[in-house]
């Protein structure tokens, strides 16, 4: 085919494609996200946090290098140079920009400073199913106090937020741990020297994958390394057998604990793994008792095994204080659970760490079971602001992964979900009467009803198809006959579709005139509201 052939493809045209690891988000999901964000904002406001918005770009040195994905270009961030040849990066979370903001405005801010923020964050990580390079977070942080009550409050905030979003108690758990205990364990294991910094980070990232890889996978990552299903090899921390066993004994603390019977106060030794929150054991099946993890027993075990290390002992005492504070406010183990397997992947955490996990399983659109696991997390980061000021400024925070949580809620509520109604569409039956049709649409808008006049140039049938695609529940029709009588025809498209499915022939269709009414023009708003109320 000749290059001058008009049918030849134009190779200079760009391809209509989405960048790898990114996606377009359409109306229904955007509305769901907006509703979620409004609910989360309401809870955060009730806890006394104030809003703050920071830019999506920060100077790269201000963000710091705290991501676990250090092996990828730009250490996991997207970066570019400005006109002054200074490196800027898209923010990878909302916490590092907060630290920069606090450092720049420290003298005029109230202490502690309590802020919330929401927005997109960007990570130059390997994309995968459900894992994107742009996603939305919603954070709350308290900066300027080392009071452990601030950490306890984050656990309570997380639990209250999930319940406000409609997740029932028992379908989620907020797990809490303390980095100081793990640091003490690694000290005991001999992984504490200045040359062990990278190895400690590798240990941290290995433990953070416990939920996904289990004991065997983490054991490999703590030791020689692990090859995944695709054949990719991840280098391990190179710990010896005794070091590995010590770390795993800490991570799997709950596997060694007796479970408390909620109904009879008896205990049963069960190796159940750290993911259990509340479950029926073999003994429970026999007795009718339901067993659950016990925070007090977890603390006792940690103290008996690791309390000889001063740093670990300090972390255990902080967890004990958190447990006392949340229990006083009615937050039991079915809502907030001490779990030593939680470490969080970001490097900057220095004390208590939190993770909000969904415990229910739902089926996706293909009928496959899906468990979403973690949908949020955070912790104490006492050294982040000090990068700018040289002065320690304690801080703690919690972040919800809005995008991931929205996907979970969509599956959880798919059977109860109502279709999102599009605008009422005013059809144009006579192009010479456009002002009249526009006035009808405006009457509906002024009454608080979403409405539009059809702005295309097609006839009646394409206009109806357009209204269907827009998700309209109602169309407004006024031809010359109706106009002369001061009347309108309202067509209920949802009910009409149901009726049409039961009608067998054209004669029956004309006789039934399904879901179509003729009304006085003065009753437009009232009658449209009646129809919309059926579907809201």
């Amino acid at each position: 085919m000749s290059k001058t052939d008009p049918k030849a493809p134009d190779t200079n045209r760009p391809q209509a494609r989405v960048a790898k690891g990114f996606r377009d988000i359409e109306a229904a999901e955007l509305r769901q996200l907006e509703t979620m964000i409004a609910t989360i904002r309401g809870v955060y406001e009730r806890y006394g946090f104030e809003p703050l918005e920071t830019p999506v770009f920060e100077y790269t040195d201000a963000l710091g290098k705290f991501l676990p994905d250090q092996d990828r270009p730009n250490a996991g961030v997207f970066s570019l140079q400005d006109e002054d040849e200074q490196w800027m990066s898209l923010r990878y979370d909302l916490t590092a920009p907060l630290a920069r903001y606090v450092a720049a405005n420290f003298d005029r801010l109230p202490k502690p400073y309590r802020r919330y923020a929401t927005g997109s964050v960007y990570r130059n990580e390997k994309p995968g199913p459900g894992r994107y390079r742009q996603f939305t977070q919603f954070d709350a942080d308290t900066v300027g106090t080392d009071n452990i009550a601030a950490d306890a409050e984050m656990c309570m905030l997380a639990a209250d937020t999930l319940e406000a979003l409609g997740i029932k108690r028992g379908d989620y758990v907020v797990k809490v741990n303390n980095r100081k205990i793990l640091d003490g364990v690694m000290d005991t294991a001999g992984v504490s020297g200045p040359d062990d910094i990278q190895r400690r980070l590798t240990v941290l990232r290995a433990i953070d994958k416990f939920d996904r890889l289990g004991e065997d996978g983490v054991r490999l990552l703590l030791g020689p390394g692990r090859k995944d299903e695709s054949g990719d090899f991840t280098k391990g921390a190179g710990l010896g057998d005794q070091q590995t066993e010590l770390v795993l004994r800490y991570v799997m603390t709950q596997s060694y604990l007796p479970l408390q019977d909620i109904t009879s106060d008896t205990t049963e030794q069960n190796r159940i793994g750290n993911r259990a929150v509340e479950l029926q054991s073999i003994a429970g099946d026999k007795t009718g008792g339901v067993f659950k993890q016990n925070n007090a027993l977890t603390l006792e075990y940690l103290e008996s095994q690791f309390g000889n290390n001063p740093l670990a002992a300090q972390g255990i005492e902080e967890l004990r204080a958190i447990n006392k504070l949340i229990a006083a406010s009615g937050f039991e183990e079915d809502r907030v659970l001490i779990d030593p397997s939680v470490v969080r992947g970001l490097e900057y955490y220095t004390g208590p760490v939190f993770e909000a996990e969904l415990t229910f399983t739902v089926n996706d659109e293909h009928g496959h079971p899906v468990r979403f696991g973690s949908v949020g997390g955070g912790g104490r980061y006492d050294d982040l602001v000090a990068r700018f000021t040289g002065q320690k400024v304690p801080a703690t925070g919690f972040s919800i992964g809005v995008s991931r949580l929205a996907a979970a809620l969509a599956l959880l509520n798919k059977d109860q979900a109502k279709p999102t109604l599009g605008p009422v569409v005013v059809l144009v039956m006579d192009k010479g009467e456009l002002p009249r049709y526009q006035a009808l649409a405006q009457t509906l808008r002024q009454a608080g009803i979403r409405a539009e006049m059809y702005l295309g140039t097609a006839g009646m049938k394409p206009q109806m198809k357009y209204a269907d695609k827009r998700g309209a529940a109602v169309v407004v029709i006024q031809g010359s006959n109706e106009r002369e009588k001061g009347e309108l025809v309202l067509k209920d498209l949802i009910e009409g579709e149901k009726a049409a499915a039961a009608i067998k022939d054209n004669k029956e269709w004309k006789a039934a005139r399904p879901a179509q009414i003729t009304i006085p023009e003065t009753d437009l708003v009232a009658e449209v509201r009646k129809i919309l109320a059926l579907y809201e």
Side-chain angles (χ1 to χ4, degrees):
M1 187 178 287
S2 168
K3 290 184 179 180
T4 59
D5 190 325
K7 296 182 181 179
D10 186 347
T11 56
N12 293 322
R13 290 178 181 170
Q15 294 183 25
R17 54 181 180 162
V18 178
K20 186 176 181 180
F22 295 84
R23 68 188 183 108
D24 298 314
I25 305 176
E26 297 184 340
E29 185 176 349
L30 283 174
R31 289 195 175 95
Q32 180 197 11
L33 289 171
E34 288 168 0
T35 301
M36 276 186 62
I37 287 171
T39 301
I40 297 169
R41 180 180 289 110
V43 178
Y44 286 15
E45 287 272 1
R46 286 199 297 274
Y47 269 74
F49 292 94
E50 300 285 345
L52 174 70
E53 183 174 320
T54 55
V56 295
F57 270 101
E58 297 278 349
Y59 284 115
T60 304
D61 60 349
L63 284 177
K65 296 182 178 181
F66 297 104
L67 285 178
D69 199 0
Q70 295 286 349
D71 297 330
R72 294 186 59 78
N74 298 325
V77 300
F78 292 98
S79 301
L80 54 82
Q81 282 183 297
D82 66 9
E83 66 276 10
D84 297 324
E85 298 186 352
Q86 296 189 71
W87 281 99
M88 301 193 303
S89 298
L90 285 171
R91 63 191 182 196
Y92 56 77
D93 69 4
L94 300 174
T95 308
L98 170 64
R100 187 268 307 156
Y101 172 82
V102 170
N105 299 278
F106 188 79
D107 290 339
R108 67 179 185 84
L109 292 176
K111 280 72 163 190
Y113 173 59
R114 297 161 62 80
R115 85 87 173 88
Y116 69 80
T118 186
S120 293
V121 298
Y122 308 84
R123 296 189 183 177
N124 187 7
E125 299 175 332
K126 184 178 180 180
R131 181 186 176 102
Y132 298 100
R133 289 171 167 172
Q134 176 184 347
F135 50 95
T136 302
Q137 289 186 334
F138 205 138
D139 289 16
D141 292 81
T142 299
V143 184
T145 179
D146 58 4
N147 190 336
I148 202 69
D151 302 280
E153 184 182 71
M154 289 299 167
C155 299
M156 295 159 57
L157 174 74
D160 281 344
T161 300
L162 293 177
E163 291 193 13
L165 290 167
I167 301 172
K168 298 191 300 293
R169 202 165 297 184
D171 282 344
Y172 75 89
V173 63
V174 178
K175 297 180 175 181
V176 57
N177 189 23
N178 198 308
R179 279 278 187 88
K180 292 175 181 177
I181 309 176
L182 177 59
D183 288 342
V185 171
M186 286 196 283
D187 286 346
T188 303
V191 190
S192 57
D195 297 332
D196 287 320
I197 294 175
Q198 189 57 47
R199 193 154 63 136
R200 290 167 70 95
L201 292 176
T202 304
V203 170
L204 185 71
R205 293 165 198 153
I207 297 172
D208 198 38
K209 297 175 182 176
F210 190 91
D211 278 355
R212 184 164 54 89
L213 301 181
E215 178 182 353
D216 293 339
V218 172
R219 185 182 297 276
L220 289 172
L221 291 176
L222 292 174
R226 176 182 178 272
K227 183 181 290 188
D228 64 20
E229 296 80 3
S230 68
D232 290 342
F233 181 78
T234 301
K235 185 179 178 181
L239 300 187
D241 290 344
Q242 288 186 334
Q243 293 171 308
T244 296
E245 289 302 323
L246 180 63
V247 173
L248 281 175
R249 191 165 79 242
Y250 164 69
V251 174
M252 299 176 63
T253 288
Q254 290 178 329
S255 298
Y256 298 96
L257 294 176
L259 295 178
Q260 182 184 46
D261 189 322
I262 299 171
T263 57
S264 65
D265 274 339
T266 61
T267 57
E268 176 80 13
Q269 186 74 24
N270 293 278
R271 287 188 61 85
I272 53 145
N274 76 307
R275 292 183 63 88
V277 179
E278 186 174 284
L279 46 89
Q280 193 82 20
S281 70
I282 295 174
D285 289 335
K286 292 176 181 177
T287 65
V290 179
F291 290 84
K292 70 173 185 177
Q293 297 292 353
N294 182 281
N295 285 343
L297 289 177
T298 301
L299 290 166
E300 287 177 14
Y301 175 86
L302 289 173
E303 189 164 29
S304 69
Q305 296 293 311
F306 310 107
N308 289 334
N309 181 281
L311 189 57
Q314 183 181 348
I316 294 166
E317 281 306 307
E318 290 178 357
L319 287 183
R320 184 171 282 112
I322 288 174
N323 190 48
K324 183 178 180 180
L325 286 163
I326 61 175
S329 295
F331 290 77
E332 303 295 341
E333 286 90 340
D334 62 338
R335 303 183 76 187
V336 182
L337 181 71
I338 295 174
D339 186 342
S341 71
V342 175
V343 297
R344 303 296 297 160
L346 292 175
E347 182 187 339
Y348 52 59
Y349 293 120
T350 59
V353 286
F354 333 110
E355 196 156 279
E357 181 177 304
L358 303 184
T359 58
F360 59 82
T361 300
V362 292
N363 293 329
D364 63 16
E365 61 273 16
H366 304 296
H368 301 141
V370 177
R371 183 163 178 168
F372 280 87
S374 177
V375 292
R380 178 159 288 278
Y381 52 97
D382 286 348
D383 299 327
L384 205 54
V385 179
R387 294 178 58 246
F388 302 95
T389 63
Q391 177 183 358
K392 183 177 180 179
V393 179
T396 188
F398 176 76
S399 175
I400 289 179
V402 174
S403 306
R404 185 171 179 80
L405 183 53
L409 289 173
L411 284 179
L412 179 65
N413 300 320
K414 64 180 184 297
D415 295 333
Q416 294 81 34
K418 293 183 178 180
T420 301
L421 299 182
V424 175
V425 178
V426 178
L427 305 190
V428 174
M429 310 303 293
D430 182 348
K431 292 182 176 62
E433 296 292 333
L434 283 178
R436 178 180 289 270
Y437 298 128
Q438 190 65 274
L440 291 173
Q442 190 63 17
T443 296
L444 291 169
R445 293 168 186 154
Q446 289 173 345
I449 299 170
R450 292 184 68 214
E452 64 174 80
M453 180 186 76
Y454 175 72
L455 295 175
T457 57
M460 172 79 166
K461 191 172 182 179
Q463 289 188 52
M464 292 294 293
K465 287 184 177 179
Y466 169 81
D468 273 333
K469 285 186 176 182
R470 292 287 280 128
V474 187
V475 294
V476 179
I477 303 169
Q478 188 182 59
S480 57
N481 290 338
E482 289 85 13
R483 188 167 62 251
E484 289 173 3
K485 298 176 184 178
E487 294 178 338
L488 299 168
V489 173
L490 301 184
K491 200 173 190 67
D492 180 337
L493 298 186
I494 297 177
E495 187 60 34
E497 185 178 7
K498 293 178 185 176
I503 292 176
K504 297 183 176 64
D505 55 42
N506 193 48
K507 182 179 180 181
E508 190 176 347
W509 172 272
K510 289 181 178 178
R513 292 176 63 84
Q516 182 170 303
I517 60 173
T518 300
I519 63 167
E521 188 171 331
T522 53
D523 293 347
L524 171 63
V525 170
E527 293 298 328
V528 166
R529 279 186 172 146
K530 286 180 184 178
I531 296 174
L532 294 179
L534 298 173
Y535 308 112
E536 292 175 343

